[in-house]
């Protein structure tokens, strides 16, 4: 654990969410998962994770940079008012790329199903510049997951629905899909409700 990196990230977070940052300082991880920090062949920090009898890398062992570059190219240039929901943060590489390649008005909601992984990311990866860039809505299972619905309802409005992006960290489908799916369904229901209300008003 790097206390220096951890404090740097939390100090950046205090700009937007001081109470959440303080909560993280006192938090003991509860998700029963083992995380080893390794270095990919192209020099990037990656996490090797073991949960029960499942073991996988959250990032390419040989080439960690290329998948991120391909992902950034795939999502393309986002509208400045786009709401983006990231499900699973891993080592934070996708979050970094998203913040670095979008305008500050783009709303980012980042759901992490593992408090252990989230704290490990903050301990090992310097995300201070990205966190300072804009108020990223971090929703972490076991810490503040009950706030997901309220944050989602605040961010999603009729005017930005067409720009909505939802992205699941590729490797999370192997190990945390059951934890993520309820929140994706909740997101889809919210979109349906916004459109239903709009269509109802049109008929009046």
């Amino acid at each position: 654990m790097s206390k220096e990196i951890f404090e740097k990230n939390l100090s950046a977070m205090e700009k937007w969410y001081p109470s959440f940052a303080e909560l993280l300082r006192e938090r003991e991880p509860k998700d029963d998962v083992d995380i080893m920090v390794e270095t990919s062949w192209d020099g990037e920090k990656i996490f090797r994770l073991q949960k029960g009898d499942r073991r996988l890398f959250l990032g390419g062992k040989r080439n960690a940079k290329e998948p991120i570059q391909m992902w950034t190219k795939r999502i393309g240039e986002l509208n400045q008012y786009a709401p983006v929901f990231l499900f699973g943060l891993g080592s934070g590489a996708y979050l970094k790329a998203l913040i670095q390649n979008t305008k500050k008005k783009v709303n980012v909601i980042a759901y992490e199903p593992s408090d252990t992984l989230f704290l490990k990311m903050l301990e090992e990866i310097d995300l201070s510049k990205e966190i300072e860039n804009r108020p990223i809505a971090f929703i972490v299972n076991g810490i503040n997951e009950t706030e997901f619905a309220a944050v989602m309802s605040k961010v999603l409005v009729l005017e930005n629905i067409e720009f909505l992006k939802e992205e699941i960290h590729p490797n999370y489908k192997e190990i945390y899909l059951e934890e993520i799916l309820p929140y994706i369904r909740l997101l889809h229901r919210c979109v349906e409700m916004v459109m239903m209300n709009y269509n109802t008003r049109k008929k009046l």
Side-chain angles (χ1 to χ4, degrees), residues 149-162:
V151 170
M152 174 186 63
S153 298
K154 185 176 181 180
V155 167
L156 280 180
V157 294
L158 178 65
E159 289 76 15
N160 67 17
I161 286 276
E162 65 179 298

Side-chain angles (χ1 to χ4, degrees), residues 8-26:
K8 193 174 181 182
N9 284 329
L10 292 192
S11 294
M13 199 176 289
E14 284 176 337
K15 174 181 177 180
W16 309 107
Y17 309 114
S19 58
F20 184 59
E22 190 58 34
L23 182 65
L24 294 176
R25 284 194 176 92
E26 302 168 358

Side-chain angles (χ1 to χ4, degrees), residues 112-125:
E112 174 52 59
S114 170
D115 62 341
T116 305
L117 267 167
F118 184 70
L119 291 170
K120 191 65 166 179
M121 177 189 73
L122 293 178
E123 292 167 1
E124 298 289 342
I125 310 298

Side-chain angles (χ1 to χ4, degrees), residues 79 81-83 85 107 151-165 187 189-203:
N79 183 279
Y81 299 112
F85 287 76
N107 283 309
V151 170
M152 174 186 63
S153 298
K154 185 176 181 180
V155 167
L156 280 180
V157 294
L158 178 65
E159 289 76 15
N160 67 17
I161 286 276
E162 65 179 298
F163 307 121
L164 169 66
K165 289 282 185 182
L187 174 60
R189 285 199 297 271
C190 184
V191 171
E192 290 171 2
M193 287 298 299
V194 170
M195 295 308 301
M196 190 181 301
N197 290 338
Y198 169 69
N199 290 330
T200 299
R201 289 198 303 271
K202 278 179 64 178
K203 294 176 181 178

Side-chain angles (χ1 to χ4, degrees), residues 5-203:
I5 294 175
F6 187 65
E7 280 303 320
K8 193 174 181 182
N9 284 329
L10 292 192
S11 294
M13 199 176 289
E14 284 176 337
K15 174 181 177 180
W16 309 107
Y17 309 114
S19 58
F20 184 59
E22 190 58 34
L23 182 65
L24 294 176
R25 284 194 176 92
E26 302 168 358
R27 180 73 181 184
E28 291 294 330
K30 294 183 178 180
D31 184 31
D32 186 18
V33 59
D34 292 324
I35 306 165
M36 296 295 294
V37 181
E38 300 191 10
T39 303
S40 66
W41 290 8
D42 57 348
E44 296 296 301
K45 271 189 181 181
I46 55 174
F47 294 166
R48 180 165 57 85
L49 180 151
Q50 181 161 350
K51 188 174 176 67
D53 59 353
R54 295 184 177 181
R55 182 183 300 174
L56 53 81
F57 282 97
L58 297 182
K61 176 62 177 174
R62 293 188 177 185
N63 191 335
K65 294 177 182 177
E66 186 177 0
I68 308 300
Q69 293 167 351
M70 291 174 63
W71 178 76
T72 303
K73 185 176 180 180
R74 177 175 64 78
I75 66 172
E77 183 175 353
L78 300 183
N79 183 279
Q80 65 175 335
Y81 299 112
V84 182
F85 287 76
L86 291 180
F87 294 94
L89 293 172
S91 62
Y94 288 93
L95 178 64
K96 265 183 178 271
L98 180 65
I99 298 301
Q100 291 170 1
N101 290 282
T102 58
K103 297 180 174 66
K104 287 189 176 184
K105 289 184 178 179
V106 169
N107 283 309
V108 177
I109 301 86
Y111 170 73
E112 174 52 59
S114 170
D115 62 341
T116 305
L117 267 167
F118 184 70
L119 291 170
K120 191 65 166 179
M121 177 189 73
L122 293 178
E123 292 167 1
E124 298 289 342
I125 310 298
D126 186 355
L127 293 165
S128 57
K129 288 183 180 179
E130 288 73 28
I131 293 172
E132 286 177 347
N133 181 271
R134 71 192 75 173
I136 302 166
F138 290 109
I139 307 293
V140 185
N141 192 41
I143 299 179
N144 66 338
E145 74 277 9
T146 57
E147 296 178 17
F148 183 86
V151 170
M152 174 186 63
S153 298
K154 185 176 181 180
V155 167
L156 280 180
V157 294
L158 178 65
E159 289 76 15
N160 67 17
I161 286 276
E162 65 179 298
F163 307 121
L164 169 66
K165 289 282 185 182
E166 60 176 86
E167 298 287 331
I168 304 176
H169 190 292
N171 294 19
Y172 274 62
K173 295 176 183 178
E174 299 295 323
I175 201 163
Y176 284 114
L177 188 59
E178 288 185 12
E179 289 82 358
I180 289 172
L181 278 178
Y183 294 93
I184 292 177
R185 293 189 186 108
L186 190 61
L187 174 60
H188 292 174
R189 285 199 297 271
C190 184
V191 171
E192 290 171 2
M193 287 298 299
V194 170
M195 295 308 301
M196 190 181 301
N197 290 338
Y198 169 69
N199 290 330
T200 299
R201 289 198 303 271
K202 278 179 64 178
K203 294 176 181 178

